[in-house]
Amino acid sequence: RVAETAVVSRAHEIKGESIFAYVVCRGARPTGAEAEKLSAELRDFVGQELGAIAKPDDIRFADNLPKTRSGKIMRRLLRAIADGNELGDVSTLRDPSVVDELSAQVEAGTGLISTAGTRGRLPSSLLHPAGPAHPDHRHLPADRPPTRAAARCH
């Protein structure tokens, strides 16, 4: 059912980065309930094969992916589309209309299945813990700097 995929990171206000997947299906692009069902199946598959942490937060169904003349997927452009940034140089694309199509989908708000706000949120107690900035710092006197290992955690 799935012909090809490309996965990129996207800025996320809570997690820092989230997983954004572009999916090209064999045949027609799914819409509505069919897209929701396939999206859930894909997330479940990724969860079983790679683990829950690898499940994409957003899935965009597309007719094609932007590729170079040699056939490599241009993830830089996909990342820019996902973040809503300027695309930059597209002169090496095999078919520039693919980028226009994906950008039009973003503007129209179509083709995107998102889990934002439904699950995967961290509890507020983890976002703003009370006490020391880092657990390794509890045992240190106030005038002593943290160890190198503890400093790298920030």
Side-chain angles (χ1 to χ4, degrees):
R1 174 113 174 110
V2 173
E4 62 183 341
T5 63
V7 179
V8 296
S9 64
R10 177 182 184 176
H12 191 276
E13 62 186 39
I14 296 173
K15 296 190 272 185
E17 287 186 338
S18 66
I19 300 171
F20 193 103
Y22 292 88
V23 178
V24 177
C25 295
R26 291 186 180 99
R29 180 174 22 139
T31 58
E34 183 185 2
E36 292 278 345
K37 181 181 176 204
L38 182 56
S39 176
E41 287 177 29
L42 292 172
R43 281 190 183 94
D44 290 342
F45 178 78
V46 170
Q48 290 171 355
E49 295 296 318
L50 301 175
I53 196 164
K55 287 183 182 181
D57 295 315
D58 301 291
I59 296 176
R60 179 169 301 280
F61 292 101
D63 294 326
N64 212 341
L65 297 174
K67 295 181 182 178
T68 62
R69 291 180 187 96
S70 64
K72 293 181 181 176
I73 296 171
M74 293 192 69
R75 284 178 168 70
R76 172 185 61 84
L77 295 177
L78 293 174
R79 193 174 303 113
I81 292 169
D83 281 334
N85 296 332
E86 192 171 320
L87 299 179
D89 182 26
V90 295
S91 63
T92 59
L93 281 174
R94 180 187 312 162
D95 182 7
S97 67
V98 172
V99 174
D100 296 334
E101 179 187 317
L102 287 172
S103 297
Q105 277 186 359
V106 170
E107 289 175 14
T110 60
L112 178 66
I113 308 297
S114 178
T115 61
T118 59
R119 56 185 151 150
R121 288 186 175 257
L122 293 173
S124 59
S125 61
L126 292 177
L127 293 175
H128 306 287
H134 191 277
D136 288 348
H137 298 183
R138 280 186 293 236
H139 67 283
L140 297 175
D143 61 336
R144 185 170 166 204
T147 63
R148 283 189 199 160
R152 274 185 292 202
C153 293
H154 296 290

